[in-house]
Amino acid sequence: MNNCSTDYVWKNTSQTLTATPDTFCKAQDKDDLIAIVKTAVNNGQKIRITGGRHSWYPLVLTDKTVKNGSPDDSSFCLIDVSAMNSVTKEKTADGLYLVHAQPGATMGDLEKATMGNWPNDPAPDPLVALPTNGVIPTELQLGGFVSAGCHGTGWEQPTVPDIIYALEMILVDENKNVQVRTFSETNADDPMDALRVSLGTIGIITMITFKAEPLFCIHGVDTVDSLMSDVISRQPNESHHPLKDLVESTDYLELFWFPFNESKTDWELRLLPDLEKTKVWKKMGTALKNNNGAPPTDCPKGVPSQVWDGLETKFGAAAYTQIAKLSSGNGADQLLAEAPLKLMSTLAYQTAVDDFIGPATRFYHYQTSAFPVLDFSFAIPMDADADPYYQAICEAWYAVVDTVADWAANKSEFYQRYPVNIALHARFIKNSQSLLSPAYQPAGSEVHTCWIEFLSGSPTPDEPNETWYQNYNNTWAEFCQLIGPKWLDLGGRPHWAKQWQLLDTPEINIYQRLQAIYGENLKMFKEVRDHLDPTETFLYSWTEKIFTGES
């Protein structure tokens, strides 16, 4: 096969996952992809797809040495579809705005095609935007983004997969014939509720068609001076419910807490977050919708850049590697580790943008690029009928805040004191009707969703068995295993693309819990999956146990 090799080592962007496929291929276009699939099927290979590598759960992992043993006897073909990145758009005769994107297209490719450098150098008409979208334009490729059920923000917006109008996919039938089929929401028989979020277990997406709308602008306001207690109350009630007031009155809302934006030291000179003074960064957006199909003329073409974003992109990988190394060092090293932890928190708040109006797509894309991080994320329902002041979200938030403060003050080993060294982050959306979406609710539901996550830098070791690296990752895993059950008990579901596999312990037994969490949805999805992939070409051990519950 052209553009194929047998000695490729794949790694995700954070260097936490490694794969050694039997065959690795780069597809240049749809015809090339079909040819690669046919060869792989004829060779009896399992197939996984990769692109931007911005994922932490092994959805594309193909290693046969998982847990010191072969998961099965299959040979794997890993296919990179990054070169399949075209984006087109149209306004249909019945007035729909549709965007057609290949799976390797990034958020940046989408931005370029849908609006260009508007208003100075706009893309061809129609100028459009998605009503919600992800954050990072450079790495997030659309095929993986939708397959993993990913999301943006927007109180009345669904997940990004839910705005899919149609999907073109490569399938393999029971006779191992390779077919290309198009599924659309206009055909009531097409199982779009299964296909929109498929975890790559049904087939290969070759084209995604999104429902868009005329380009509009968003008035963005960032504030960093609100006390945490004035944003999220520990005990919200009828007379004091700041989170409810904020989320229900804001079109687009994100909350950040950088643990050491306000800090203090104890008698042992330990660096501690000062919870009485600590502030929450609020990123708020109000949609400025269009009445005449054109965005406002006074809407500038860009959103102010963040100094912190640029510095983290350039120096984040090296900085967090040094922090991790110093944390396992001697006393002098440990003092050196605390300085950048404090600096990164304060710098983020000091360089936040303030008040601006920008096109919607650029409002979404406020982080221009990424640096290696560890990421643990859940979707937690916000049912205003059962929980009118969103106590569950407050508990989920303070579970992290209080544990961060406790570990900083009380852990005996220095490297255990700072498990969350970047931020706690929350975004708010409506819900999803995709069967496997962590934000799933039945059609017509008024239940909303909080996507909550915490992040730390992902260091890069010279060798994976270095003591400081093992200390760092073991601390991260222990923290996730402490918070994960609390979020599960609040009705949360793990984000498929994040590091929820850390909850695969005898005490938590996450794969078994998924059976209860998704219930009939899992059974309905599996029926579609088994029908459309009868040879199990796109199923392997790390995804199969999602459906079986076997750890």
Side-chain angles (χ1 to χ4, degrees):
M1 291 181 283
N2 294 330
N3 297 310
C4 294
S5 62
T6 57
D7 58 355
Y8 185 83
V9 177
W10 175 95
K11 292 186 177 183
N12 66 339
T13 54
S14 292
Q15 309 291 297
T16 58
L17 298 175
T18 301
T20 53
D22 301 272
T23 309
F24 174 77
C25 300
K26 293 184 177 181
Q28 302 303 307
D29 53 36
K30 186 169 78 171
D31 290 340
D32 191 28
L33 178 58
I34 292 171
I36 293 170
V37 172
K38 287 182 176 179
T39 301
V41 170
N42 289 337
N43 291 337
Q45 291 183 304
K46 297 272 189 177
I47 297 174
R48 303 303 297 164
I49 302 299
T50 185
R53 302 179 294 123
H54 193 80
S55 178
W56 292 264
Y57 183 79
L59 290 173
V60 303
L61 198 70
T62 60
D63 233 337
K64 292 185 179 181
T65 57
V66 174
K67 294 190 176 179
N68 301 314
S70 174
D72 50 45
D73 296 324
S74 301
S75 171
F76 285 91
C77 178
L78 183 62
I79 307 173
D80 189 329
V81 296
S82 298
M84 297 177 60
N85 59 4
S86 72
V87 181
T88 61
K89 59 191 176 177
E90 63 171 317
K91 182 179 182 181
T92 67
D94 53 358
L96 287 177
Y97 293 91
L98 300 178
V99 176
H100 310 283
Q102 290 186 314
T106 64
M107 300 291 181
D109 294 325
L110 189 76
E111 176 180 318
K112 182 178 179 181
T114 54
M115 62 170 279
N117 289 319
W118 179 88
N120 294 337
D121 184 20
D125 287 337
L127 297 174
V128 298
L130 302 187
T132 184
N133 208 338
V135 171
I136 305 171
T138 50
E139 286 189 6
L140 299 179
Q141 294 185 357
L142 294 169
F145 193 80
V146 300
S147 294
C150 297
H151 62 97
T153 187
W155 182 243
E156 294 297 338
Q157 302 304 329
T159 65
V160 175
D162 284 84
I163 60 174
I164 291 176
Y165 179 80
L167 285 168
E168 181 186 76
M169 301 180 70
I170 294 176
L171 305 176
V172 178
D173 69 14
E174 65 275 10
N175 297 315
K176 296 190 175 182
N177 296 314
V178 176
Q179 307 172 340
V180 178
R181 285 186 58 182
T182 297
F183 301 90
S184 171
E185 67 175 29
T186 60
N187 185 350
D189 293 331
D190 286 348
M192 297 299 291
D193 56 353
L195 296 172
R196 287 186 173 108
V197 180
S198 69
L199 309 182
T201 65
I202 290 178
I204 302 173
I205 296 172
T206 55
M207 186 67 73
I208 311 162
T209 298
F210 293 104
K211 293 173 287 188
E213 56 185 86
L215 181 63
F216 63 98
C217 292
I218 293 177
H219 179 197
V221 176
D222 285 50
T223 67
V224 294
D225 56 358
S226 297
L227 289 173
M228 182 180 292
S229 57
D230 292 336
V231 179
I232 303 178
S233 173
R234 289 183 179 272
Q235 296 292 332
N237 54 49
E238 184 176 3
S239 60
H240 183 67
H241 41 69
L243 179 62
K244 177 182 178 68
D245 291 340
L246 184 60
V247 297
E248 292 183 356
S249 64
T250 310
D251 293 335
Y252 297 91
L253 175 67
E254 301 189 36
L255 302 177
F256 299 87
W257 178 59
F258 288 71
F260 302 101
N261 71 85
E262 294 287 347
S263 62
K264 60 184 181 179
T265 56
D266 63 8
W267 66 275
E268 292 183 315
L269 300 182
R270 298 183 187 213
L271 177 68
L272 309 175
D274 189 337
L275 297 190
E276 292 184 0
K277 298 179 180 179
T278 197
K279 308 295 197 305
V280 170
W281 177 352
K282 297 185 293 185
K283 179 175 285 292
M284 300 169 286
T286 300
L288 307 177
K289 296 294 185 177
N290 313 315
N291 294 321
N292 59 359
T297 57
D298 62 347
C299 179
K301 67 177 181 178
V303 171
S305 62
Q306 295 174 175
V307 174
W308 174 82
D309 177 34
L311 290 174
E312 288 280 39
T313 298
K314 291 179 180 179
F315 305 114
Y320 286 107
T321 295
Q322 287 304 310
I323 288 172
K325 286 183 177 180
L326 293 169
S327 294
S328 285
N330 57 34
D333 288 340
Q334 293 165 9
L335 288 175
L336 291 174
E338 289 182 341
L341 288 174
K342 169 68 175 172
L343 176 63
M344 289 178 181
S345 285
T346 56
L347 184 62
Y349 282 44
Q350 290 172 359
T351 61
V353 297
D354 186 7
D355 189 322
F356 61 91
I357 296 176
T361 305
R362 294 217 173 98
F363 174 86
Y364 307 143
H365 296 166
Y366 59 81
Q367 185 176 345
T368 54
S369 57
F371 63 97
V373 298
L374 305 176
D375 195 337
F376 188 80
S377 177
F378 266 57
I380 300 178
M382 303 175 69
D383 186 344
D385 290 335
D387 182 15
Y389 310 121
Y390 306 131
Q391 175 72 41
I393 307 307
C394 300
E395 291 181 14
W397 180 272
Y398 280 106
V400 177
V401 171
D402 291 341
T403 307
V404 166
D406 176 63
W407 284 29
N410 297 309
K411 283 294 186 180
S412 58
E413 296 291 346
F414 185 90
Y415 61 78
Q416 294 179 309
R417 294 180 190 172
Y418 307 113
V420 179
N421 54 40
I422 299 181
L424 172 61
H425 179 208
R427 284 179 274 181
F428 304 89
I429 68 164
K430 188 70 175 288
N431 54 46
S432 170
Q433 277 69 65
S434 300
L435 294 175
L436 290 192
S437 173
Y440 174 81
Q441 296 294 334
S445 170
E446 290 301 316
V447 174
H448 289 252
T449 307
C450 172
W451 292 87
I452 186 168
E453 65 182 341
F454 50 85
L455 305 100
S456 282
S458 181
T460 305
D462 294 325
E463 297 292 337
N465 59 352
E466 293 182 69
T467 299
W468 66 267
Y469 186 65
Q470 295 299 320
N471 288 343
Y472 188 90
N473 282 312
N474 289 341
T475 298
W476 170 259
E478 182 183 348
F479 191 87
C480 294
Q481 289 158 5
L482 180 62
I483 299 298
K486 296 181 180 181
W487 286 358
L488 286 166
D489 290 344
L490 293 169
R493 302 180 182 119
H495 188 317
W496 293 118
K498 305 302 171 69
Q499 282 184 284
W500 61 273
Q501 71 269 28
L502 294 174
L503 304 183
D504 183 19
T505 68
E507 296 77 18
I508 303 172
N509 200 0
I510 186 61
Y511 291 101
Q512 187 60 47
R513 290 191 70 160
L514 288 176
Q515 311 308 301
I517 290 171
Y518 283 94
E520 286 299 314
N521 282 17
L522 208 57
K523 296 178 181 179
M524 290 188 288
F525 178 89
K526 191 174 183 300
E527 289 178 1
V528 174
R529 203 224 71 78
D530 292 347
H531 174 68
L532 294 178
D533 181 29
T535 62
E536 298 188 346
T537 297
F538 302 102
L539 189 67
Y540 83 120
S541 58
W542 279 95
T543 50
E544 184 174 15
K545 54 189 177 181
I546 292 172
F547 307 119
T548 64
E550 297 177 3
S551 177

